Amino acid sequence: MQNPNSTRTLWVLQGEAAQLFEQLRHAVYHYPGDWLTVTYWSELSDYLPNKLIANVLPPNQTKQLLGRQYQHAIFDATVGFNLDAFAMLVGTLVKGSVLILLLPKDLTSWFDQDSLRWNESQNPISVPNFVAHLTQTLAEFGVSINSTSLPKTAISVTPSLLVKTDDTWDLAEQQATLKQLLNSNKSINVLVAKRGRGKSALAGRFSHYQRCIVTAPNKSALTSFFAFAKPTTPFFAPDELIAQSKIDSADYLIIDEAAMIPLPMLGKLLQLAIANNCRVLLTTTVDGYEGTGQGFLLKLLSGKTCQYFHLHTPIRWQADDMLEQFSDRLLLNGLLTQDNSPVTGPSSTQYSKVERKDVDTLKSIFYLLKIAHYQTTLIDLRRLFDAQNLSVWQATIDNKQIAAALTITEGNLPDSLITQVWQGTRRPKGNLVAQSLVAHAGERLAAKLRSVRINRIAVMSAYRRQHIAKQLVQTICDHAKMQNNDFVSVSFAYSLSNYQFWTACGFVLVHVSSHKQASSGGYSVMALKPLTESGCHLTLNLKQKLQRNAYWLKDIIDLPFNQMLANNDNPLLTQNLDAHDLDELAGFAHFHRPFEATYSALCRLVHDNQLHQHSQLQQPQPLSLPVLSALLKSKNNQSLIINAYQLAGKGALMQTIKLEVKTWLIKHSNNVIFDKSTHNDS
């Protein structure tokens, strides 16, 4: 029989933060507990005992709570509501705890400071859709919002504050799962559970039966693991383990909190373990601030032989815990319960723009995105609800939602800001593709023109390969053209299937990033679909620039450029240094344009310089640009050149190269024509 004192309770107070903390002073001083407090306030010494000041955290530092346990907490959302921090805090509270949620005095006129994390604006915004969702969820669970103070009887009648709770745990499921794990013969074993089920504790107990090493996003996340683990179990940070390239004296690699480790790094850890005949125990959460665990697992473990284990019974709190159920509903955890079988019969697909006030439709779109994108997070939920410049699209059959897309308006930036972005001195929020094409591809026109960026697109699995996504994209493009936009853009991690889809939709590849994404492990590429003459002019310029630069980029970027770029052997695209190159070289030498963005122009500079020197009839002179030449000859092996020239590090290497280029530009300023127009319109 469940102890009634074991339930976790949610109280909600509404008012000014100072008044609310004053009201809570009595509870915090007189009732034992940790009273972990998450708040934007930096000074609470007037309201909390000195012994509890150490338990005060700003929302952006709550990741350090992973794997820890507390009794009682305060979540101050009067300034901003960070859903990630809320999820982490709820997951730390043991049975019998009280969580006090503080809300602003007037939610209708509230400007949520948390919006600075996910909205493309310099100032906080109002969040009416999230407020509607929050108040609806509170009402659904019968949680009343108390103005200014708690009812006088609220604390006195709460047994969880007065009586020590029953701390016995039901470990039957843990015992059974541990036995199954020890009997598994698979090389990769995956332990999946929601928060509070004892995943880390079970992994710790597992280490007593096998020779194990453990890795996690950080060691502080392993508090629960080491509370139950064999004390001598070695810990290695993920990057440290990969750098060693071998695993000695261990039969098992335990990867705890796996979904918080970047996917490519996880892939390397699995490869390392397999190469060293070391088996793997991987633990992950199915939902919450780590992203959507189910999609994460599908992507990471696709094609691998694994055995899955699940924990359902909560350990940290009782079954059917009210606070967990409230949190799940607020965070839209889990998956939407609906019939995923395709509609049969003569039904037509409808494509439409979603009304942003339709909160229920926005919620169902979030569930759809979670299924399709392994990294759909709580930030995506907040953005979907209330972000400015965001449009939401859907495809439906008989009112059944089968696909969705998100778009963001970009461009139309002032000339002065565009110049600063090109120089590398400014990078304001928003305009991801428009700014990137200025900062990295050197095309100022990309940020001057008006455009729409497709941010996300998802189709239910039963309806894929039926051209639904393609038609949804066409609907977006048609609407963008009616709104007088010049082009539609998209940025995606390169894969053959992604590339084929977007080119089939009429998009032209125009830019390739120089580094792999930490999240996907692939190169990010950008593609445009022009809608106006100006958009066509921009797209052609960028396409030809990429075709020309691919001659050099193929040495440092592992992508099939010959397949990706049509007419890559265009004879008009010579590798002679031209005015556009000189423009980019000046930006690199005199401003802050990135080395990677200028790489191809730097290659042409060295190539041109060497041809010029070799053509001289007089005695050969010392090679100018020695460090740059050596770096490019090494195919951008920066560590090698830093050691060879005894430089202090990457910063010193870049400064040395900048000086070489600057000196060359000054020396040859009378011998080359600087096309001033390139500084005004690329």
Side-chain angles (χ1 to χ4, degrees):
M1 187 166 124
Q2 292 180 339
N3 186 337
N5 295 333
S6 295
T7 188
R8 298 187 303 169
T9 309
L10 175 67
W11 295 342
V12 182
L13 289 177
Q14 189 174 29
E16 301 291 343
Q19 293 177 317
L20 297 179
F21 276 108
E22 179 66 34
Q23 293 288 337
L24 292 173
R25 187 199 295 258
H26 175 72
V28 172
Y29 269 85
H30 291 88
Y31 297 103
D34 301 298
W35 288 111
L36 181 64
T37 301
V38 175
T39 178
Y40 286 89
W41 273 33
S42 59
E43 183 54 62
L44 285 174
S45 57
D46 292 339
Y47 306 101
L48 296 177
N50 289 335
K51 65 179 181 179
L52 296 182
I53 292 298
N55 287 348
V56 176
L57 283 176
N60 62 359
Q61 292 183 19
T62 48
K63 277 191 177 181
Q64 61 187 269
L65 301 178
L66 288 175
R68 301 184 182 184
Q69 297 184 165
Y70 298 91
Q71 186 178 35
H72 308 319
I74 301 169
F75 187 83
D76 176 15
T78 56
V79 174
F81 204 123
N82 184 316
L83 275 183
D84 297 278
F86 182 81
M88 289 183 227
L89 181 62
V90 169
T92 67
L93 296 179
V94 298
K95 58 180 69 174
S97 291
V98 169
L99 173 60
I100 302 177
L101 172 62
L102 307 183
L103 295 177
K105 187 175 182 178
D106 184 3
L107 285 167
T108 59
S109 61
W110 178 44
F111 287 85
D112 187 355
Q113 195 76 19
D114 185 64
S115 65
L116 295 176
R117 289 194 308 141
W118 45 262
N119 186 57
E120 298 181 350
S121 171
Q122 304 299 313
N123 300 307
I125 61 170
S126 61
V127 288
N129 287 336
F130 175 70
V131 167
H133 172 56
L134 172 63
T135 53
Q136 178 185 344
T137 308
L138 288 169
E140 185 179 336
F141 283 84
V143 179
S144 59
I145 300 178
N146 299 287
S147 299
T148 307
S149 63
L150 289 169
K152 292 183 179 180
T153 57
I155 294 177
S156 60
V157 300
T158 304
S160 59
L161 287 175
L162 301 172
V163 183
K164 182 174 175 62
T165 60
D166 176 15
D167 58 359
T168 58
W169 293 353
D170 180 5
L171 298 178
E173 187 182 38
Q174 288 254 333
Q175 288 290 115
T177 305
L178 177 60
K179 185 176 180 180
Q180 293 169 2
L181 261 173
L182 292 170
N183 290 330
S184 171
N185 59 2
K186 296 293 190 295
S187 58
I188 300 175
N189 296 285
V190 185
L191 181 59
V192 184
K194 294 175 66 176
R195 286 280 150 211
R197 268 61 182 173
K199 299 183 305 297
S200 297
L202 179 56
R205 294 171 65 199
F206 180 83
S207 69
H208 288 273
Y209 299 88
Q210 301 283 354
R211 293 187 308 163
C212 300
I213 61 174
V214 62
T215 188
N218 53 72
K219 193 172 184 179
S220 64
L222 291 171
T223 304
S224 293
F225 173 86
F226 279 113
F228 294 87
K230 187 176 180 180
T232 56
T233 303
F235 166 78
F236 295 90
D239 53 350
E240 178 187 6
L241 199 56
I242 292 169
Q244 289 182 3
S245 71
K246 63 178 180 178
I247 297 176
D248 294 323
S249 65
D251 301 318
Y252 258 93
L253 168 63
I254 299 175
I255 307 176
D256 201 19
E257 303 288 0
M260 293 190 70
I261 299 174
L263 200 62
M265 186 174 283
L266 270 174
K268 290 180 181 178
L269 288 171
L270 293 182
Q271 290 175 5
L272 176 64
I274 293 170
N276 286 268
N277 295 316
C278 182
R279 296 164 75 184
V280 175
L281 171 58
L282 185 152
T283 78
T284 189
T285 304
V286 294
D287 252 316
Y289 43 85
E290 293 178 342
T292 48
Q294 300 289 12
F296 153 81
L297 289 175
L298 289 173
K299 189 170 181 68
L300 174 69
L301 302 175
S302 176
K304 295 182 174 66
T305 303
C306 311
Q307 185 165 350
Y308 289 85
F309 302 86
H310 297 268
L311 294 173
H312 302 285
T313 306
I315 297 295
R316 203 168 290 168
W317 48 81
Q318 69 180 30
D320 300 322
D321 177 74
M322 171 268 179
L323 185 57
E324 181 181 48
Q325 293 178 26
F326 170 82
S327 178
D328 283 346
R329 197 66 56 87
L330 183 67
L331 308 178
L332 299 188
N333 284 342
L335 299 176
L336 190 64
T337 303
Q338 62 178 20
D339 180 14
N340 289 331
S341 59
V343 174
T344 57
S347 299
S348 62
T349 305
Q350 303 295 319
Y351 300 89
S352 61
K353 190 176 181 181
V354 176
E355 169 59 51
R356 287 299 295 280
K357 293 181 181 180
D358 187 351
V359 175
D360 289 338
T361 298
L362 295 177
K363 290 180 188 178
S364 62
I365 285 176
F366 181 71
Y367 283 117
L368 200 158
L369 291 174
K370 281 173 50 166
I371 296 170
H373 290 270
Y374 76 95
Q375 277 205 317
T376 302
T377 66
L378 295 175
I379 282 183
D380 294 307
L381 177 58
R382 296 301 310 272
R383 187 179 288 125
L384 179 63
F385 273 149
D386 292 298
Q388 298 168 322
N389 300 329
L390 182 88
S391 295
V392 184
W393 304 80
Q394 65 178 353
T396 58
I397 296 180
D398 292 343
N399 295 318
K400 176 181 178 179
Q401 201 171 64
I402 61 170
L406 308 181
T407 63
I408 298 172
T409 56
E410 295 193 345
N412 199 28
L413 300 183
D415 291 337
S416 58
L417 178 57
I418 294 174
T419 297
Q420 290 173 321
V421 171
W422 181 89
Q423 292 173 344
T425 57
R426 288 280 307 277
R427 197 69 192 272
K429 285 185 177 182
N431 291 277
L432 184 147
V433 168
Q435 286 200 73
S436 293
L437 294 178
V438 176
H440 300 290
E443 284 290 346
R444 297 170 180 80
L445 188 60
K448 188 67 178 174
L449 298 181
R450 291 164 48 89
S451 61
V452 170
R453 170 166 60 93
I454 298 177
N455 175 247
R456 290 284 182 94
I457 187 165
V459 180
M460 287 177 57
S461 57
Y463 294 89
R464 291 173 188 165
R465 302 189 183 282
Q466 298 177 36
H467 305 291
I468 291 169
K470 185 177 180 181
Q471 184 56 51
L472 187 56
V473 169
Q474 187 59 50
T475 301
I476 292 168
C477 293
D478 291 343
H479 184 270
K481 188 170 185 177
M482 286 193 300
Q483 297 296 313
N484 298 316
N485 287 282
D486 295 289
F487 62 90
V488 176
S489 69
V490 65
S491 175
F492 58 92
Y494 177 83
S495 68
L496 181 59
S497 59
N498 283 345
Y499 171 75
Q500 289 174 337
F501 169 76
W502 289 108
T503 53
C505 290
F507 284 72
V508 178
L509 188 66
V510 296
H511 183 65
V512 176
S513 66
S514 55
H515 298 292
K516 291 184 177 181
Q517 292 178 316
S519 56
S520 68
Y523 288 99
S524 176
V525 302
M526 296 179 183
L528 305 184
K529 182 171 184 176
L531 304 175
T532 64
E533 185 176 344
S534 296
C536 289
H537 175 70
L538 171 69
T539 303
L540 179 61
N541 281 352
L542 285 165
K543 175 186 174 182
Q544 291 183 342
K545 181 176 285 190
L546 180 58
Q547 289 175 334
R548 183 169 178 248
N549 290 345
Y551 179 85
W552 308 99
L553 295 177
K554 67 180 186 295
D555 291 333
I556 63 169
I557 298 177
D558 183 23
L559 283 176
F561 282 101
N562 289 336
Q563 299 174 28
M564 294 162 56
L565 302 175
N567 300 320
N568 199 27
D569 55 352
N570 188 337
L572 299 177
L573 302 176
T574 70
Q575 295 303 325
N576 296 329
L577 204 63
D578 65 13
H580 288 277
D581 293 325
L582 295 172
D583 188 41
E584 294 195 6
L585 293 172
F588 172 74
H590 297 286
F591 298 105
H592 302 280
R593 285 190 60 74
F595 169 78
E596 291 79 8
T598 325
Y599 183 81
S600 296
L602 290 168
C603 288
R604 282 188 283 271
L605 169 63
V606 170
H607 177 70
D608 185 88
N609 187 58
Q610 290 174 348
L611 288 177
H612 180 74
Q613 287 191 326
H614 292 156
S615 67
Q616 300 297 312
L617 296 177
Q618 63 266 33
Q619 285 289 102
Q621 298 178 359
L623 185 67
S624 62
L625 310 165
V627 178
L628 175 60
S629 300
L631 179 62
L632 298 183
K633 186 177 181 180
S634 73
K635 302 293 189 270
N636 198 28
N637 188 333
Q638 297 186 7
S639 298
L640 176 68
I641 303 306
I642 288 170
N643 292 330
Y645 285 87
Q646 298 182 335
L647 299 171
K650 183 177 179 179
L653 173 63
M654 289 299 113
Q655 288 303 315
T656 301
I657 293 173
K658 278 176 177 282
L659 182 60
E660 288 184 354
V661 175
K662 191 182 298 184
T663 302
W664 187 94
L665 289 171
I666 293 172
K667 181 178 178 181
H668 294 79
S669 59
N670 294 327
N671 300 329
V672 296
I673 299 174
F674 286 87
D675 185 351
K676 299 298 183 183
S677 65
T678 62
H679 288 272
N680 299 316
D681 182 12
S682 293

